[in-house]
Amino acid sequence: MHRTIIEPFRIKMVEPIQMTTLIEREVFMKKAHYNPFLLNSDQVIIDLLTDSGTSAMSSGQWSALMNGDESYAGARSWHRMYNEIHDLTGYDQILPTHQGRAAEKILYTIIGGKGKVFVSNAHFDTTRANIEYSGAIAIDCQTPEYLDSNSSYPFKGNIDIDLLEKNIIEHGATNIGAVILTVTNNTGGGQPVSFKNAVDTSIICKKYGVLFILDACRIAENSYFIKNYETDQKHKSYRQIAKDMFALADGCIMSAKKDAMVNMGGFLALNNVSLAEECTQLLIITEGFSTYGGLSGRDMETIATGLQEVFEPDYLEYRIKSTQYLGNGLQQLGVPIQLPVGGHAVYINAGELYKHLPPSQYPGQSLVIDMYVKGGIRACEIGSVMFGKLDAQNQLIPASKELVRLAIPRRVYTQSHIDYVIETFEMIVKNKHQAKGIKIIKEPKFLRHFTSHFDYIS
Ligand code: F0G
């Protein structure tokens, strides 16, 4: 057995990375007001801000792109994408959108609204925002295993079935907009949902006559975990596991920017014809005609090819193992991470790494600044900057955890890039006691992590 997980691809085209020095990066960071979102991408050496829309397309996808049929209605490329999604999901009604949140906006506007309640394993932030914007309420039902950071239970992304049923009874089945199972669970650490949990969710939804929607943007990664960690699913192919999971639900939303490995795209797929007709009206008003929605013909070609490639066993093996490789490397240095490692990202517990910094001094923000200055690595704080709230006295109500997400773009970085990230953490760990507290200088009303200005506490 070889120790090295080689990338199952050769590189045909390269994109240069601009190298920078520590002194330059100190200046860049200061000019960006200590907010990595305000850096220019050419000031970044390794960009781990997101795995969304950052994939490298394959030669198969680039050649499919040239087959794009840009006709307004009934394009060949639409039929190709429709057939691919239909074969994978089994749903007849397919609505193409420019990205995941556009599909969310359409569906949750139609089935949401005041008085409606949505229940999920964990709503992603745009999902929650679209639900709440419609006037409805979004409730997360995490399991006790998820809440225990030391538990290495393999399916920490699961929804708590008892809590789900309790919520349906409490709010009344007719008031439930939908139950949404997000696979993998991005908000929870990129951790998977088991097949059994999806079956149990489906049983509850059928019992109460409630709509069951999958947020399927990382369903291939989720299938990897099911095949490898759920004994009674081992005999199935990754694609078959995904197909069987889609069959349990009434529809799905997918941001194609993740597991369809394209730079832009998404779709909504449903069984229910009359619901789909209502959604199609809104699709035509806000996105485009029903056979292209928010997409060009070439996008639809690349999505169709990407959805085939993502289930290739060699790809998935490399994808999940290489995320684990980063997690293992960090753990060996004593960096506290969320366990077990999920599919698309490693989540660092910055509150524990920088123990001397209280939440009010934003240890996660301090860590993302250090990662950039020391290594030119860009990552995202998922702690009290992103989720903290202020009470009536303007005091911070901290987030439940001070995390930093290192999200890994698909097929973009090699093992030596990841080794470089791990080496940067050697420096960070060595100097962890010197990490400085951070204060917010200027913040917007909503989504403050994107545009706030920060500085060191002197
Ligand atoms: N659902 C999940 C679980 C997501 O992770 C995302 C996006 C969306 C929906 C929305 O899709 O971006 O195409 O509109 N997640 C990105 C991230 C932004 O960085 O995790 P979108």
Side-chain angles (χ1 to χ4, degrees), residues 6 24 31 54-55 68 104 151-152 157 161 179 187 199 213 249 262 271 277 291 307 317 323 326 329 345 360 378 453:
I6 65 163
E24 287 169 334
K31 279 197 181 146
T54 51
S55 299
E104 290 174 342
S151 157
S152 56
I161 296 292
V179 171
T187 313
V199 170
I213 297 292
V262 296
N271 267 336
E277 276 171 3
T291 63
L307 285 175
E317 185 78 11
T323 305
L326 173 58
S360 59
R378 178 154 71 167
H453 292 183

Side-chain angles (χ1 to χ4, degrees), residues 50 99-101 104 124 126 182 186 215 218 255 258 405:
T50 180
Q99 65 184 91
R101 69 197 71 183
E104 290 174 342
F124 179 67
T126 60
T182 308
N186 188 8
D215 179 334
R218 298 183 180 88
S255 165
K258 283 82 169 174
R405 182 180 80 167

Side-chain angles (χ1 to χ4, degrees), residues 49-68:
L49 203 52
T50 180
D51 65 318
S52 178
T54 51
S55 299
M57 290 207 298
S58 66
S59 51
Q61 284 175 296
W62 281 106
S63 57
L65 184 137
M66 293 306 292
N67 282 326

Side-chain angles (χ1 to χ4, degrees), residues 46-209:
I46 310 248
D47 206 343
L48 306 182
L49 203 52
T50 180
D51 65 318
S52 178
T54 51
S55 299
M57 290 207 298
S58 66
S59 51
Q61 284 175 296
W62 281 106
S63 57
L65 184 137
M66 293 306 292
N67 282 326
D69 174 359
E70 305 301 343
S71 304
Y72 193 92
R76 200 174 52 241
S77 304
W78 156 248
H79 290 296
R80 184 169 170 237
M81 184 180 83
Y82 177 93
N83 289 336
E84 186 54 41
I85 297 173
H86 181 256
D87 178 69
L88 175 64
T89 65
Y91 308 133
D92 292 330
Q93 311 297 316
I94 297 167
L95 285 74
T97 61
H98 79 275
Q99 65 184 91
R101 69 197 71 183
E104 290 174 342
K105 170 81 182 149
I106 290 170
L107 182 63
Y108 302 137
T109 298
I110 303 281
I111 63 174
K114 216 170 155 36
K116 292 286 180 189
V117 176
F118 290 77
V119 190
S120 175
N121 48 344
H123 293 84
F124 179 67
D125 56 6
T126 60
T127 316
R128 175 178 291 279
N130 275 301
I131 288 168
E132 290 178 350
Y133 192 74
S134 81
I137 297 171
I139 299 173
D140 292 343
C141 294
Q142 282 117 345
T143 59
E145 289 88 356
Y146 164 76
L147 299 167
D148 174 6
S149 352
N150 296 320
S151 157
S152 56
Y153 181 65
F155 293 106
K156 275 184 159 180
N158 283 353
I159 190 167
D160 188 309
I161 296 292
D162 293 340
L163 217 50
L164 165 65
E165 186 163 20
K166 198 169 143 252
N167 271 292
I168 295 177
I169 293 168
E170 199 174 301
H171 295 281
T174 51
N175 296 319
I176 303 294
V179 171
I180 305 165
L181 206 52
T182 308
V183 300
T184 58
N185 185 345
N186 188 8
T187 313
Q191 290 163 339
V193 172
S194 70
F195 193 76
K196 175 166 189 317
N197 192 246
V199 170
D200 292 345
T201 305
S202 169
I203 291 170
I204 296 284
C205 289
K206 286 202 171 78
K207 178 172 165 189
Y208 293 96

